[in-house]
Amino acid sequence: MAGNDWISSYLEAILDVGPGIDEAKSSFLLRERGHFSPTRYFVEEVITGYDESDLHRSWIRAAATRGPKERNTRLENMCWRIWNLARKKKQLEGEEAQRNAKRRLECERGRKEATADMSEDLSEGEKGEFPGDVSSHGDSVQGRMHRIVSVNLMENLANQLKERKLYIVLISLHGLIRGENMELGRDSDTGGQVKYVVELARALGTMPGVYRVDLLTRQVSDPDVDWSYAEPTEMLSPRTTENSIQELGESSGAYIIRIPFGPKDKYIPKELLWPHIPEFVDYALSHIRQMSKVLGEQIGGGQPVWPVAIHGHYADAGDSAALLSGALNVPMIFTGHSLGRDKLEQILKQGRQSREEINTTYKIMRRIEAEELSLDASEIVITSTRQEIEEQWRLYDGFDPVLERKLRARIRRGVKCHGRFMPRMVVIPPGMEFHHIVPHDEDMDGDMERNEENPTPDPPIWSEVMRFFTNPRKPMILALARPDPKKNITTLVKAFGECRPLRELANLTLIMGNRENIDEMSGTNATVLLSILKLIDKYDLYGQVAYPKHHKQYEVPDIYGLAAKTKGVFINPAFIEPFGLTLIEAAAYGLPVVATKNGGPVDIHKVLDNGVLVDPHDQQSIADALLKLVSDKQLWARCRQNGLKNIHQFSWPEHCKTYLSRIAMCKPRQPQWQRSDLGFENPEPNSPGDSLRDIHDLSLNLKLSLDGEKSEGTGTLDSYLDSIDRKSNMENAYLKSSKGTIGGAEKASLVEKAEQIVSGNKCLAMRMRKYIYVIAVDCDSTSDIPRIMKAVMDVAGKESLVGFILSTSLSISEVHSLLISGSISPLDFDAFICNSGGELYYPLTSSEDNTGLPFMVDTDYQSHIEYRWGGEGLRKTLVRWATSVNDKNGEIVSEDESRSTVHCYAFNVKEPELVPPIKELQKLIRIQALRCNVIYCQNGSTLNDISSITFQINHQVLAYNTTSSPLGTCTFVGAWSYQTRSSLLENAETRITKPCLEESIKQSC
């Protein structure tokens, strides 16, 4: 019952501080708009420190001793409320534990099934019958780049890039980004990530072999922020030119490119950016195409210079980079910075909010799905530490460290992976600028003697720190961290206070942010700071511990310098440290370090070897490590020397060398389409900068009637279409007549030339359009589709600058039958997206092709979406899934071989309500390292499995075809019944939906 006495004391304290707990919407959070709440503090102590049964007994006792006084009634009510809070916390923890256990079982089962599928040909691979290689866990193993096994090899790969002129695209969407005078800490979105991406872009721009770097972000024209964030383009000037030996060109260097998207004239937090990402992707595609063309004229001999990689930073940029990578067929790199699943787990552990409440506040599920999509699309995922891989990324369906190692081992042995893929996780610590740092070589005594001869003023922060000390010449133990419980500063003070030899030998300096009044600090920070002050008083550490109230960011180097002058030590005792940038900063100033053994410091210590790692929970080991370093001068000097000698490995040039060597490991990819030079495309601005400045002038309003405008070519669009069809027919006829009579290299050459002609002309009609309508009509009844198509065409008009695309889950033969039944000509459409994006066709004037249908398949598009297609391995997984569903519910899912194609596996669903949700099947596929997307079509009666690249139909197909400038308006019309309707509508400026079409249909009948 001792615990109940403590609980009673806390409850009495809550009553004494006032009625804060009775507020209408109290969240019981300690951090409440920057103000410390004693009520919440005591509630937190009760809930986290005591068992739910103790709280229940306290309520029973309060109810038994009920009296007429108001205080007694309040005490009883409060006991009951806190008890229920504790029960809710325990319930949430239990539910989360069950989810984690279920996920572990799913991952283990998926790993076993994947291994079983791949085990059939293991012996063949071990015999060496699969020569060659693959870019990334694919089936083809020809021409593999050797694995990076040493620093020398990495340098060789980086050196190979020096002769090239690379174009790299970085994306970071949220926060306020500019090259100089960054407002770090202005808000939660403008923090370390902003500094990282700017410095990375700047450093890459100076590397040999890198011609241009574009950092794409959001253009912000809000009057409440500085005008510089509205500038379309900003050049990042290099900090130093020692690594910049490349030949400068007209468009070379690093630039911030600000893309306007989202609400105009308003700066919004990252949680509100999600609906506007498709708009960003449209304009980013436009910029990249234009810049590729400009660079091609400057350095590519007239051929477009496409990005060697697109690098997304954080989930929102990862989502965007995945779309851009899929549309342009270039490698994607991803850096999470912080991860949604990890944040979700941390918040759930606190037990204060449910999943639904967390999702409402942080849009956490949208963020997690974006991170899963980034795993699907990325070649490489860059992390700062090994801990991030082992403890954070392993929470995701799309990554399993065990299965990833198996896949990598199979690739090295030349064994097929059956379409399975997992991105390569690479640890590359953030870089730093060291050219301005000059380590101090003299101690305090030597410096004082020198100052007597040539007096120079000490930095002001020195006197602010040293005024706390009775003897400021003693070695300084420096801790630089905010007063957060996770930083474990209280354990450090206890270790210092209870180790008398350490107290006699050294001083302790705690730089814990800036503060004015403790009562105005956030609850947790105030609690930690009060605990530290009490410990200082308990151990009588006055004159031995400094804790200044204020310091400027630019004074931090002077603080490091003071600690180094006194031959002190830097310590980071955090319970877990994701990376540990302060450890690198301290080493750069010549300070040995004591650091936690949990997280990033382990990787840093392996490189620097300049200190001691400790268990942050072991107070005695912390004291012993500090005492050892400050008392052993030889050890101190050796650690200092090691740090200064190895610190260059954390510089930006070293970071970029490793970065570029990893890019060299990726198989080069670029768009599959062939550009045409016939001059029928919409004109482009000459300058990418001009295009961005004029981007607001693009017409984004739907025009349902045009005044007979003609295309800007030498003739009308219709006549040009006829010429394309005549060419295609001639090519097909020639190829048919050549079969059997032309062989070998001559035949291959003719086929290749014919394909180039066809691919160069097939989508010029679409490029000439100003407005495109994508008609998505997967309705309950296919008999309604022709009427809907006619109604849409009547509403939109048939002007030459208006085009139509049919997007459907049906096959091309089914589409042809519908067109015939509705007396609709295929030539009324510019393209047909069939099998949910698995195939792309263009209309022909005759049916002289292999299928006997008046359509031409786009073979370039098929090559485009082939990337990471699971093939037979995916089909086996889906069939196994269908079998497991049928075992539970009867024969309700069956494979439809007649509708399945090379890039789309179709299944019939008899009872959609009995089939598991789409998310469950998507999770199963990702757990087995397969990359695809599943769509329920025809109101759930059919299920199509397609390539992950084809899922975002609006971007992948339209961006694939409109290779010049983006269409002014992309409008999606019709009645949808399958899952992708939200993605189709997300970026439509004007929408003609079902009611409007039904009215038009009635009139047309």
Side-chain angles (χ1 to χ4, degrees):
M1 292 297 292
N4 288 86
D5 293 335
W6 276 103
I7 293 173
S8 299
S9 300
Y10 280 126
L11 296 177
E12 292 290 341
I14 294 172
L15 291 177
D16 291 337
V17 298
I21 196 171
D22 296 322
E23 294 173 1
K25 295 183 179 180
S26 174
S27 63
F28 298 107
L29 297 178
L30 297 182
R31 181 176 184 142
E32 194 75 16
R33 297 290 181 185
H35 296 289
F36 173 60
S37 171
T39 299
R40 290 178 176 82
Y41 168 74
F42 289 122
V43 171
E44 181 79 2
E45 287 294 312
V46 172
I47 293 176
T48 59
Y50 299 96
D51 188 76
E52 180 258 342
S53 58
D54 288 333
L55 297 175
H56 180 252
R57 284 195 295 270
S58 295
W59 173 60
I60 294 295
R61 188 171 65 177
T65 58
R66 180 188 306 163
K69 295 183 180 180
E70 179 187 358
R71 184 181 180 89
N72 292 339
T73 304
R74 287 177 59 202
L75 180 62
E76 178 189 354
N77 292 337
M78 187 170 52
C79 285
W80 183 86
R81 291 183 63 189
I82 295 178
W83 172 46
N84 274 277
L85 277 175
R87 291 178 64 195
K88 180 182 178 182
K89 180 176 185 291
K90 189 174 182 179
Q91 177 186 354
L92 292 174
E93 290 175 345
E95 292 174 354
E96 187 62 20
Q98 292 179 356
R99 278 192 291 267
N100 290 336
K102 180 181 177 182
R103 172 174 163 70
R104 283 193 293 270
L105 290 175
E106 291 173 341
C107 290
E108 186 62 31
R109 182 168 59 249
R111 189 186 304 149
K112 289 180 179 179
E113 291 177 354
T115 304
D117 286 348
M118 296 186 295
S119 62
E120 299 173 359
D121 55 359
L122 184 60
S123 59
E124 297 176 2
E126 289 177 338
K127 293 176 182 178
E129 297 180 8
F130 288 89
D133 185 76
V134 69
S135 66
S136 306
H137 303 330
D139 286 345
S140 174
V141 286
Q142 186 173 1
R144 174 160 65 106
M145 182 80 69
H146 293 293
R147 182 188 177 206
I148 293 179
V149 294
S150 68
V151 174
N152 291 335
L153 182 53
M154 292 170 64
E155 290 182 353
N156 291 336
L157 289 171
N159 290 335
Q160 292 174 12
L161 299 177
K162 289 183 179 180
E163 302 303 321
R164 302 176 60 185
K165 295 184 178 180
L166 304 179
Y167 174 33
I168 299 174
V169 174
L170 311 179
I171 306 175
S172 183
L173 298 184
H174 61 262
L176 297 171
I177 297 180
R178 64 184 180 189
E180 305 296 335
N181 301 318
M182 288 177 277
E183 300 182 81
L184 303 180
R186 184 186 192 276
D187 53 65
S188 59
D189 291 348
T190 309
Q193 178 182 328
V194 169
K195 182 179 181 181
Y196 174 83
V197 294
V198 171
E199 294 301 328
L200 174 61
R202 195 193 309 272
L204 284 173
T206 65
M207 294 298 293
V210 177
Y211 187 79
R212 182 179 173 99
V213 179
D214 281 343
L215 171 56
L216 307 186
T217 188
R218 181 171 180 244
Q219 186 182 49
V220 181
S221 303
D222 192 331
D224 293 334
V225 303
D226 192 77
W227 62 269
S228 60
Y229 301 113
E231 285 294 301
T233 305
E234 177 185 350
M235 185 174 184
L236 295 173
S237 56
R239 299 294 189 196
T240 176
T241 59
E242 61 184 18
N243 294 302
S244 183
I245 61 175
Q246 68 205 42
E247 181 182 348
L248 296 179
E250 182 181 350
S251 301
S252 64
Y255 297 83
I256 297 176
I257 306 296
R258 298 185 178 93
I259 307 289
F261 70 97
K264 294 182 178 179
D265 304 327
K266 188 177 181 182
Y267 174 53
I268 59 176
K270 59 179 177 288
E271 289 80 11
L272 302 181
L273 284 177
W274 292 109
H276 309 290
I277 284 179
E279 183 184 359
F280 165 81
V281 172
D282 283 342
Y283 292 127
L285 275 170
S286 172
H287 168 77
I288 294 173
R289 291 193 194 102
Q290 293 163 5
M291 181 52 61
S292 297
K293 181 178 179 181
V294 170
L295 296 180
E297 294 171 354
Q298 294 179 9
I299 61 174
Q303 296 297 318
V305 176
W306 298 103
V308 69
I310 298 176
H311 188 168
H313 294 267
Y314 195 78
D316 48 12
D319 192 295
S320 306
L323 293 173
L324 291 168
S325 172
L328 296 172
N329 194 35
V330 298
M332 174 185 166
I333 301 173
F334 181 62
T335 300
H337 291 277
S338 66
L339 300 181
R341 284 198 187 276
D342 182 63
K343 181 171 184 175
L344 177 62
E345 282 207 348
Q346 296 301 324
I347 298 177
L348 286 173
K349 285 178 181 178
Q350 297 173 3
R352 303 188 189 104
Q353 293 176 285
S354 65
R355 278 178 170 258
E356 292 73 21
E357 293 170 336
I358 296 170
N359 189 46
T360 300
T361 303
Y362 300 105
K363 304 295 185 293
I364 201 77
M365 302 313 297
R366 178 66 178 86
R367 175 180 171 183
I368 290 172
E369 180 56 32
E371 290 162 343
E372 293 281 11
L373 177 62
S374 299
L375 286 174
D376 291 343
S378 296
E379 298 270 1
I380 296 172
V381 175
I382 295 178
T383 69
S384 297
T385 64
R386 180 62 52 182
Q387 179 268 345
E388 185 179 342
I389 301 173
E390 298 294 338
E391 298 185 18
Q392 296 184 41
W393 274 118
R394 74 181 307 155
L395 300 174
Y396 286 78
D397 300 329
F399 182 75
D400 181 348
V402 177
L403 187 53
E404 191 270 342
R405 285 192 289 269
K406 290 184 178 181
L407 291 172
R408 207 184 324 153
R410 292 175 68 88
I411 291 175
R412 288 199 302 270
R413 293 196 297 264
V415 183
K416 289 185 178 181
C417 294
H418 296 280
R420 288 175 166 81
F421 168 86
M422 280 189 180
R424 182 67 183 270
M425 294 281 173
V426 178
V427 178
I428 309 179
M432 283 188 62
E433 289 287 348
F434 297 124
H435 65 273
H436 63 285
I437 297 177
V438 180
H440 295 279
D441 293 325
E442 300 185 30
D443 57 19
M444 287 290 289
D445 293 333
D447 190 59
M448 289 180 178
E449 292 175 1
R450 181 176 55 83
N451 284 342
E452 291 177 359
E453 301 175 1
N454 300 306
T456 56
D458 291 334
I461 191 65
W462 285 17
S463 59
E464 180 66 21
V465 172
M466 289 191 294
R467 67 184 178 87
F468 284 87
F469 299 134
T470 304
N471 183 359
R473 297 191 181 188
K474 292 197 298 185
M476 178 192 297
I477 299 170
L478 174 63
L480 186 66
R482 64 184 184 276
D484 187 290
K486 295 179 293 186
K487 298 301 181 180
N488 199 27
I489 302 296
T490 53
T491 302
L492 170 62
V493 177
K494 290 178 182 178
F496 183 78
E498 295 182 8
C499 182
R500 189 173 187 84
L502 185 61
R503 291 170 54 182
E504 293 175 348
L505 192 59
N507 293 322
L508 176 63
T509 298
L510 306 175
I511 306 297
M512 299 178 290
N514 293 284
R515 63 185 183 277
E516 291 294 340
N517 192 327
I518 294 178
D519 292 336
E520 296 176 358
M521 297 174 65
S522 64
T524 24
N525 290 355
T527 302
V528 172
L529 188 55
L530 287 172
S531 299
I532 291 171
L533 296 177
K534 290 179 180 179
L535 289 172
I536 291 173
D537 185 75
K538 175 181 178 180
Y539 296 115
D540 194 16
L541 300 178
Y542 299 106
Q544 296 174 298
V545 178
Y547 42 95
K549 295 182 66 171
H550 303 285
H551 72 280
K552 304 293 185 182
Q553 184 65 31
Y554 64 81
E555 293 178 320
V556 172
D558 294 327
I559 298 173
Y560 285 125
L562 177 59
K565 272 187 172 295
T566 63
K567 297 189 181 299
V569 176
F570 181 82
I571 180 169
N572 182 339
F575 290 119
I576 184 169
E577 182 60 56
F579 177 60
L581 190 61
T582 54
L583 299 175
I584 298 175
E585 293 175 345
Y589 286 92
L591 277 172
V593 300
V594 173
T596 176
K597 67 176 185 179
N598 299 327
V602 176
D603 297 323
I604 295 174
H605 182 262
K606 287 180 181 178
V607 176
L608 296 182
D609 189 23
N610 68 328
V612 181
L613 298 179
V614 295
D615 181 355
H617 299 278
D618 190 341
Q619 178 179 312
Q620 188 60 46
S621 68
I622 293 175
D624 292 343
L626 290 171
L627 182 60
K628 183 178 182 180
L629 280 173
V630 296
S631 61
D632 189 339
K633 296 303 180 183
Q634 291 183 348
L635 176 62
W636 185 93
R638 186 165 63 251
C639 289
R640 168 189 167 86
Q641 189 61 35
N642 287 346
L644 294 174
K645 180 179 65 175
N646 299 319
I647 195 64
H648 71 279
Q649 297 187 49
F650 291 97
S651 65
W652 276 117
E654 289 296 322
H655 177 99
C656 292
K657 285 181 183 179
T658 307
Y659 183 95
L660 293 174
S661 68
R662 293 297 180 178
I663 289 180
M665 293 284 289
C666 299
K667 182 179 180 181
R669 293 189 287 125
Q670 61 183 12
Q672 295 288 336
W673 62 74
Q674 301 292 326
R675 292 292 303 269
S676 172
D677 298 325
L678 295 179
F680 283 88
E681 301 178 6
N682 288 326
E684 294 184 80
N686 292 326
S687 165
D690 293 339
S691 72
L692 287 169
R693 288 186 173 86
D694 298 337
I695 208 164
H696 283 298
D697 298 332
L698 290 174
S699 173
L700 295 178
N701 298 318
L702 176 64
K703 298 181 179 179
L704 295 180
S705 63
L706 303 172
D707 25 329
E709 295 177 280
K710 301 295 181 182
S711 62
E712 298 184 1
T714 57
T716 64
L717 176 63
D718 294 334
S719 64
Y720 185 66
L721 286 176
D722 290 339
S723 69
I724 293 176
D725 291 331
R726 285 195 297 272
K727 265 184 191 175
S728 300
N729 292 336
M730 292 174 62
E731 291 153 5
N732 289 332
Y734 181 77
L735 290 175
K736 283 187 175 182
S737 65
S738 301
K739 287 182 178 179
T741 61
I742 302 176
E746 185 180 359
K747 178 178 180 180
S749 176
L750 289 171
V751 172
E752 183 180 355
K753 289 181 180 178
E755 287 181 349
Q756 289 177 356
I757 296 173
V758 173
S759 61
N761 294 328
K762 61 196 173 188
C763 57
L764 283 182
M766 201 182 309
R767 297 178 192 171
M768 295 178 64
R769 304 299 191 187
K770 192 173 183 181
Y771 305 102
I772 289 288
Y773 291 79
V774 178
I775 305 175
V777 285
D778 278 346
C779 307
D780 297 343
S781 173
T782 55
S783 61
D784 292 333
I785 293 180
R787 290 189 298 163
I788 293 175
M789 290 190 292
K790 286 183 176 180
V792 173
M793 292 177 176
D794 291 340
V795 171
K798 295 186 178 181
E799 301 293 340
S800 60
L801 295 184
V802 176
F804 299 94
I805 296 176
L806 179 64
S807 175
T808 177
S809 63
L810 303 177
S811 66
I812 190 63
S813 59
E814 291 172 313
V815 169
H816 186 229
S817 299
L818 287 174
L819 293 176
I820 293 175
S821 66
S823 300
I824 301 174
S825 171
L827 295 176
D828 289 338
F829 289 86
D830 289 336
F832 298 88
I833 305 171
C834 300
N835 299 101
S836 300
E839 292 179 326
L840 179 62
Y841 292 88
Y842 304 100
L844 296 174
T845 55
S846 67
S847 58
E848 294 183 13
D849 68 342
N850 295 332
T851 64
L853 301 176
F855 306 100
M856 175 178 63
V857 67
D858 191 330
T859 55
D860 285 342
Y861 177 73
Q862 289 183 325
S863 299
H864 186 88
I865 65 174
E866 177 68 26
Y867 181 63
R868 292 186 188 168
W869 174 240
E872 185 62 21
L874 173 61
R875 194 193 69 81
K876 286 183 180 179
T877 300
L878 293 171
V879 170
R880 184 165 52 238
W881 167 81
T883 303
S884 66
V885 172
N886 293 335
D887 290 343
K888 296 179 182 178
N889 303 293
E891 295 293 325
I892 62 173
V893 180
S894 59
E895 185 178 6
D896 188 349
E897 296 184 2
S898 63
R899 292 182 59 247
S900 297
T901 64
V902 176
H903 296 105
C904 176
Y905 295 135
F907 290 79
N908 293 319
V909 180
K910 292 183 180 179
E911 299 183 46
E913 63 277 3
L914 298 180
V915 179
I918 202 78
K919 290 183 178 179
E920 293 299 318
L921 179 53
Q922 190 70 60
K923 178 193 291 186
L924 169 68
I925 291 172
R926 278 176 170 154
I927 286 176
Q928 296 204 28
L930 293 164
R931 305 299 175 181
C932 62
N933 277 290
V934 183
I935 302 176
Y936 285 128
C937 312
Q938 303 294 331
N939 205 29
S941 61
T942 61
L943 183 150
N944 282 357
D945 190 275
I946 58 175
S947 166
S948 58
I949 286 184
T950 63
F951 182 60
Q952 297 289 345
I953 297 175
N954 54 329
H955 289 301
Q956 307 303 342
V957 176
L958 292 177
Y960 168 80
N961 281 287
T962 56
T963 58
S964 56
S965 57
L967 299 173
T969 300
C970 227
T971 303
F972 303 94
V973 297
W976 296 272
S977 60
Y978 61 92
Q979 188 207 14
T980 56
R981 63 183 181 274
S982 61
S983 65
L984 285 169
L985 284 171
E986 208 166 26
N987 199 35
E989 287 294 322
T990 306
R991 306 163 188 170
I992 301 177
T993 50
K994 193 170 184 177
C996 176
L997 291 175
E998 289 175 344
E999 184 64 28
S1000 299
I1001 291 170
K1002 290 178 182 178
Q1003 295 176 3
S1004 64
C1005 291

